[in-house]
């Protein structure tokens, strides 16, 4: 039985297990022993696939970051009025967050104690800056309310979007596009009826 | 020197230190030893003031919860149109969060492993429900957009508000009322210029 499981292990399935354990115990609180137990394979089998837990963290947060940065290259993010582009990026950010939930959850919980964590924080900040730049451009076009503080709006927007990892529970038939639309509407149109 | 510090210790100053340590190490990760070191007083001196760390947690989250629930009793929260009341509660919630930052931060990080934590989670849910009820009443008045899902809007609203504990850093001359206004405007009017 053990042999079968070991044979079928791939870096991909090991990553799935590692991300789950990191999210449950925290990255700092996870040892190779914990990973070995959760995966049901020996520590030496894990070392066959990766150099250590920091490599697993790097792969996991890379998956989240690659998904997020890919959004910025999509046609909806690079063509059209800035306000439409930033709405598009917000919508797609929510969709990536939901599609890659455990990976983005881990990314958002990274603390900065190791080199990999500091790199992940730096990349997150870079993503936030690119969204802030789009908001700035939208404000310059006169498409945002004049009283909007861009820096603050960026933080509140991500506060709203990132809160999904705290309360969203995946379920069959969940409509990610609908949820993403609700976030975009609330952030850009507000909850109130127009007056 | 030790005698002086011990003499000047009050349950209030002990609470300030305890909340700081809980926020840094996590409640689960904090021992009476950690509290004793941080406070610079012996464990037995701490036991002179409180029965243990769970009592310190209860006092700390009570302070946050009392602040939040008091908002719901204020005139602005009980009189007028529901939409004005929910905007008022949102604004004041942000102000309480900023005024009691370490206490609300601790409240929002509570996990549910002990009786006190489960009680705190229950009270938080109760607060959220009361805000959701106000949003429901505002929707019934026709003051919220027809496509707003109240449950989701409540979560996104608190996602936005509560994110403040993650990124807000107190500084001299900070204008809490202005920040609270920005949150209310974004949530209820949206970022876009009216069309």
């Amino acid at each position: 039985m053990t042999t079968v499981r070991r044979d079928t292990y791939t870096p991909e399935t090991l990553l799935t297990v590692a991300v789950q354990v990191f999210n449950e115990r925290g990255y700092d609180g996870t040892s190779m022993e914990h990973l070995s137990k959760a995966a049901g394979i020996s520590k030496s089998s894990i070392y066959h696939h990766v150099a250590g837990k920091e490599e697993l963290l790097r792969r996991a947060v890379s998956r989240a970051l690659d998904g997020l940065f890919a959004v910025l290259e999509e046609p909806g993010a690079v063509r059209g009025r800035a306000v439409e582009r930033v709405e598009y990026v917000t919508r797609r950010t929510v969709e990536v967050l939901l599609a890659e939930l455990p990976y983005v959850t881990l990314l958002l919980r990274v603390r900065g104690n190791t080199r990999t964590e500091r790199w992940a924080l730096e990349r997150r900040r870079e993503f936030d800056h690119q969204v802030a730049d789009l908001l700035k451009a939208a404000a310059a076009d006169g498409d945002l309310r004049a009283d909007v503080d861009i820096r603050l709006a960026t933080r509140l927007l991500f506060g709203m979007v990132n809160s999904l990892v705290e309360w969203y529970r995946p379920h069959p038939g969940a409509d990610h596009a609908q949820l993403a639309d609700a976030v975009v509407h609330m952030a850009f149109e507000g909850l109130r009826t127009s007056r």
Side-chain angles (χ1 to χ4, degrees), chain A:
Chain A
M1 192 60 186
T2 309
T3 316
V4 173
R5 294 190 69 175
R6 185 178 293 148
D7 283 343
T8 57
Y9 253 89
T10 65
E12 183 63 18
T13 52
L14 179 59
L15 194 62
T16 308
V17 173
V19 169
Q20 198 183 332
V21 180
F22 289 156
N23 281 332
E24 277 166 22
R25 310 188 68 97
Y27 175 69
D28 288 340
T30 303
S31 65
M32 287 300 276
E33 191 66 35
H34 294 133
L35 293 176
S36 156
K37 274 194 188 144
I41 57 175
S42 66
K43 279 199 267 183
S44 64
S45 298
I46 296 180
Y47 284 119
H48 174 73
H49 292 299
V50 292
K53 73 167 188 164
E54 196 168 344
E55 184 179 336
L56 287 165
L57 179 70
R58 187 179 52 73
R59 288 191 191 181
V61 295
S62 292
R63 179 160 156 173
L65 287 164
D66 289 350
L68 292 170
F69 276 94
V71 166
L72 300 176
E73 312 275 313
E74 291 172 5
V78 291
R79 285 186 220 137
R81 279 182 89 80
V83 72
E84 307 288 347
R85 287 157 61 198
V86 74
E87 285 193 355
Y88 177 87
V89 168
T90 304
R91 181 176 290 109
R92 291 286 298 125
T93 296
V94 173
E95 287 175 351
V96 168
L97 182 150
L98 297 172
E100 304 286 357
L101 194 59
Y103 298 91
V104 178
T105 301
L106 182 64
L107 175 67
L108 295 177
R109 290 187 185 163
V110 150
R111 293 291 196 134
N113 293 327
T114 61
R115 211 171 133 169
T116 299
E117 288 173 277
R118 285 189 292 275
W119 163 80
L121 285 176
E122 188 46 51
R123 295 281 287 160
R124 256 189 76 187
R125 265 194 292 271
E126 205 179 307
F127 185 80
D128 293 5
H129 280 154
Q130 296 214 31
V131 175
D133 284 346
L134 279 177
L135 282 171
K136 248 177 249 163
D141 290 343
D143 287 333
L144 301 193
R145 282 188 294 104
D147 64 338
V148 170
D149 172 331
I150 299 298
R151 201 176 134 94
L152 178 57
T154 308
R155 280 174 157 162
L156 293 173
L157 182 62
F158 280 109
M160 191 195 262
V161 168
N162 295 344
S163 77
L164 284 159
V165 308
E166 301 303 329
W167 56 262
Y168 179 76
R169 294 294 165 264
H171 54 280
D175 191 335
H176 289 181
Q178 196 178 21
L179 182 46
D181 270 345
V183 173
V184 171
H185 280 146
M186 178 158 167
F188 290 90
E189 314 291 338
L191 292 171
R192 269 194 183 231
T193 42
S194 303
R195 283 169 297 184

